[in-house]
Structures are given as C-alpha cells and as structure tokens.
Amino acid sequence: FRSSAAFAMHTGAAPIPVWSSNKPQYRLNRHGNRQLNACLHRIALTQLVHHPPARTYRDHWLEHHPHATRKAAIRALKRHLSDVLYHALHTDHHHLT
C-alpha cells in the first residue's frame, strides 16, 4: 500500500465525506475488505473494554467533536487502529528487506 490512507480504504475504515448541509459529515465506508473491517471493529470494541488508552482516545475525540455520536467515535477509533496496523506492517516490511 502506498499510504496509510490507501490501507484504510482497503480495510473499509476510511470515512467517506458527504455534504448535505453546511456542516461536514462522514458516513460509513461499505467498501473494502469486509473481513478486515470486521476484525478492526472487534479490536476496537475489545480495546474500549480492556484498554484505557482506547477509551481516552474515544473520549478525547468526542470532546473535540461535540455533535458526533458514539458510533462516529468508534469509526474514528477504527481508522486510528488501521493507521497503527499500517505503520506496524510497514516497519516489519522494512526490517525484512
């Protein structure tokens, strides 16, 4: 993958912007690898229960996006996890070469 954004599009974790009013909104991306997306979703939900930094990330995100929903916060966490996974894969690839 050429970037973390391309990896996020492949996993279906990249939100799609929609403009139906004056405020920017994002909707769920239903494309990409659904198995990877389901895996990221399970990781996100598990981390929200057992990993305090994930809860901190969600709470911080909701604090800075006052009109956002909890589902939007989970989508943001999935995108964050996708970026973390991309950087781990990228680092491992460079260590092997």
Side-chain angles (χ1 to χ4, degrees):
F1 297 99
R2 64 185 181 275
S3 67
S4 62
F7 183 73
M9 282 298 290
H10 178 73
T11 62
I16 298 174
V18 292
W19 291 272
S20 61
S21 62
N22 289 335
K23 63 179 183 171
Q25 294 179 343
Y26 300 92
R27 69 177 175 87
L28 177 65
N29 182 358
R30 298 204 181 268
H31 300 289
N33 188 320
R34 302 309 302 153
Q35 288 180 336
L36 279 174
N37 189 289
C39 181
L40 284 174
H41 188 75
R42 278 188 229 109
I43 292 169
L45 294 181
T46 302
Q47 281 196 350
L48 285 174
V49 172
H50 300 289
H51 194 59
R55 286 192 298 268
T56 303
Y57 180 88
R58 180 200 56 197
D59 295 341
H60 184 263
W61 194 88
L62 284 171
E63 182 180 309
H64 289 287
H65 299 87
H67 299 293
T69 63
R70 290 199 179 269
K71 284 186 177 185
I74 291 174
R75 284 195 300 268
L77 179 60
K78 283 171 48 177
R79 172 57 194 261
H80 176 71
L81 290 171
S82 173
D83 290 345
V84 169
L85 182 59
Y86 170 78
H87 291 296
L89 290 171
H90 191 69
T91 302
D92 284 347
H93 176 71
H94 283 294
H95 283 296
L96 291 175
T97 58

